[in-house]
């Protein structure tokens, strides 16, 4: 029942039709199809497993099943990242674009995510602004209503069930990741107490979610008016090493909203030429700690690489002052 309910919640978070749904994890796409089948509703959205797009045979499969929505592929070469983003830009004029989990990378240089319960609608960035528009009050209310109801009605049996069932343990990790990401959004909206509750619930669902625990500790520092980062010898941070890299940890657990990790992610994304996302993390680090020189230097470097020399010089002057 826990798996079925999660699948139902996920399917209901999406439009009934005319959407392109991207997922790094094919399990989530199977669960959507299962929920729709159980409800007697055929899946009318284009479901795309992003990890398979490198294979021409998968692109042929998409074109055969969705000829109006997916281009006929080159018979020998996989669609490039640039071509894929351009195609999604075109599709966004007639379809809604969704991502099954908050992620990072080349899609998010052109698009920014808006949370809807367990999924994320992608919208094109307006102009050349680094930061996306803030979440509207309506979106905050919509999501908070979902998670409040979830906490009261769905959550109570899940931690115990997760210890008995690998399937429920997996579902709990999905909920935990989504709740951690929602807590980050609440924290960005300066709803610190609500964000803290989201981080606590995320850890309750998945005690291995070290990112949610780091966010919770930093949140409590902020509520005390401190900008102090979470100590690097913290057990939650050490626990993240089992994922092999920060990107892998984020894909499994959701993102950080802590000063030092925002700086690290700004550096990593900049090294991968994801300059808009790099700038977003540096700007957030400055917002979390207005005195951070390291974040300003990183942002100045990002501005230079984006050919925004005036913005870089402004930051350098601030550092000198």
């Amino acid at each position: 029942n826990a798996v079925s309910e999660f699948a139902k919640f996920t399917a209901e978070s999406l439009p009934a039709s005319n959407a392109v749904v991207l997922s790094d994890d094919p399990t989530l796409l199977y669960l959507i199809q299962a929920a729709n089948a159980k409800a007697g509703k055929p899946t009318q959205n284009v479901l795309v497993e992003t990890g398979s797009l490198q294979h021409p045979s998968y692109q042929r499969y998409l074109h055969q099943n969705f000829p109006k929505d997916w281009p006929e592929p080159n018979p020998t070469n996989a669609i490039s990242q640039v071509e894929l983003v351009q195609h999604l830009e075109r599709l966004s004029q007639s379809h809604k674009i969704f991502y099954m989990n908050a992620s990072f990378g080349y899609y998010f240089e052109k698009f920014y995510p808006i949370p809807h319960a367990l999924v994320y609608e992608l919208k094109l960035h307006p102009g050349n602004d680094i930061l996306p528009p803030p979440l509207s009050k309506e979106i905050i209310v919509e999501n908070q209503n979902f998670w409040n109801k979830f906490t009261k009605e769905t959550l109570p049996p899940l931690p115990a069930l997760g210890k008995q069932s690998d399937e429920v343990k997996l579902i709990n990790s999905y909920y935990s990741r989504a709740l951690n990401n929602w807590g980050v959004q609440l924290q960005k909206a300066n709803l610190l107490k609500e964000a803290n509750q989201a981080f606590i619930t995320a850890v309750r669902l998945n005690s291995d979610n070290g990112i949610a625990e780091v966010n919770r500790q930093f949140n409590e520092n902020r509520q005390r008016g401190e900008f102090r980062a979470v100590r690097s010898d913290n057990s939650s941070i050490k626990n993240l090493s089992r994922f092999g890299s920060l990107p892998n940890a984020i894909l499994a657990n959701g993102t950080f909203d802590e000063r030092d990790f925002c700086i690290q992610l700004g550096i990593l994304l900049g090294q991968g030429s994801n300059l808009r996302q790099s700038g977003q993390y540096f700007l957030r680090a400055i917002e979390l700690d207005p005195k951070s020189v390291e974040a300003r230097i990183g942002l100045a470097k990002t501005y230079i690489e984006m050919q925004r020399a005036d913005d870089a010089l402004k930051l350098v002057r601030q550092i000198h002052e």
Side-chain angles (χ1 to χ4, degrees):
N1 286 342
V3 177
S4 179
E5 193 166 34
F6 173 83
K8 177 175 176 287
F9 288 156
T10 305
E12 289 177 347
S13 301
L14 295 165
S17 62
N18 206 42
V20 176
V21 182
L22 306 165
S23 179
D24 301 332
D25 182 352
T27 301
L28 293 170
L29 301 180
Y30 287 125
L31 286 170
I32 292 170
Q33 291 180 309
N36 288 338
K38 185 174 182 179
K41 302 174 183 176
T43 301
Q44 298 186 47
N45 292 320
V46 183
L47 305 183
V48 180
E49 196 260 300
T50 57
S52 293
L53 284 170
Q54 59 184 307
H55 303 293
S57 58
Y58 183 64
Q59 294 170 38
R60 288 195 295 273
Y61 160 82
L62 289 173
H63 178 68
Q64 289 166 4
N65 285 273
F66 311 103
K68 294 181 180 179
D69 302 314
W70 205 263
E72 188 169 3
N74 185 307
T76 56
N77 296 322
I79 187 171
S80 70
Q81 294 179 358
V82 172
E83 290 171 323
L84 177 59
V85 172
Q86 290 173 343
H87 179 57
L88 289 177
E89 283 187 73
R90 290 190 294 270
L91 277 177
S92 69
Q93 306 304 313
S94 56
H95 295 66
K96 289 190 173 182
I97 311 293
F98 281 82
Y99 218 96
M100 292 302 299
N101 55 285
S103 190
F104 53 86
Y106 49 93
Y107 302 106
F108 297 91
E109 286 296 294
K110 285 287 185 179
F111 294 90
Y112 66 92
I114 298 176
H116 293 283
L118 295 167
V119 302
Y120 302 84
E121 184 177 3
L122 299 190
K123 293 282 191 179
L124 282 169
H125 271 282
N128 292 319
D129 292 343
I130 288 182
L131 292 176
L135 293 184
S136 67
K137 291 182 180 179
E138 292 77 13
I139 290 293
I140 291 175
V141 169
E142 171 202 324
N143 285 275
Q144 196 63 355
N145 285 343
F146 172 83
W147 288 114
N148 286 341
K149 185 177 180 182
F150 167 85
T151 302
K152 291 177 182 177
E153 299 178 5
T154 307
L155 169 67
L158 291 180
L161 286 173
K163 296 177 181 179
Q164 304 168 24
S165 162
D166 287 340
E167 288 83 2
V168 178
K169 184 177 181 180
L170 176 64
I171 294 305
N172 287 354
S173 73
Y174 289 147
Y175 280 131
S176 178
R177 177 175 64 185
L179 260 169
N180 177 58
N181 286 327
W182 178 237
V184 168
Q185 293 297 333
L186 289 171
Q187 190 156 265
K188 287 180 177 179
N190 288 317
L191 298 169
L192 298 185
K193 291 183 179 180
E194 293 86 346
N196 185 265
Q197 190 57 53
F199 298 141
I200 289 171
T201 307
V203 175
R204 183 179 168 193
L205 281 160
N206 177 14
S207 59
D208 290 331
N209 191 337
I211 293 180
E213 178 59 22
V214 168
N215 287 341
R216 182 194 68 78
Q217 293 178 30
F218 189 72
N219 173 281
E220 292 183 357
N221 291 346
R222 289 197 66 202
Q223 289 194 61
R224 290 192 293 268
E226 301 174 2
F227 297 113
R228 181 165 46 87
V230 176
R231 289 172 57 92
S232 60
D233 60 356
N234 183 285
S235 60
S236 298
I237 293 177
K238 290 181 178 178
N239 189 36
L240 296 175
S241 63
R242 65 193 179 90
F243 293 99
S245 68
L246 276 185
N248 287 341
I250 290 169
L251 288 174
N253 299 297
T255 195
F256 287 97
D257 198 43
E258 188 268 0
R259 184 196 65 195
D260 287 358
F261 278 105
C262 283
I263 292 172
Q264 286 186 54
L265 289 168
I267 293 169
L268 279 173
L269 287 161
Q271 290 170 347
S273 298
N274 296 297
L275 298 180
R276 174 176 260 144
Q277 294 161 84
S278 173
Q280 289 170 359
Y281 276 107
F282 285 131
L283 283 166
R284 181 58 178 162
I286 293 168
E287 188 176 6
L288 292 171
D289 183 0
K291 295 183 179 180
S292 175
V293 173
E294 186 179 2
R296 279 188 166 80
I297 291 173
L299 182 59
K301 180 176 183 294
T302 301
Y303 278 146
I304 291 169
E305 292 175 354
M306 296 177 78
Q307 309 296 316
R308 295 172 61 163
D310 289 343
D311 291 324
L313 288 170
K314 181 180 177 181
L315 274 170
V316 171
R317 285 193 292 271
Q318 289 177 3
I319 293 168
H320 287 161
E321 288 168 4

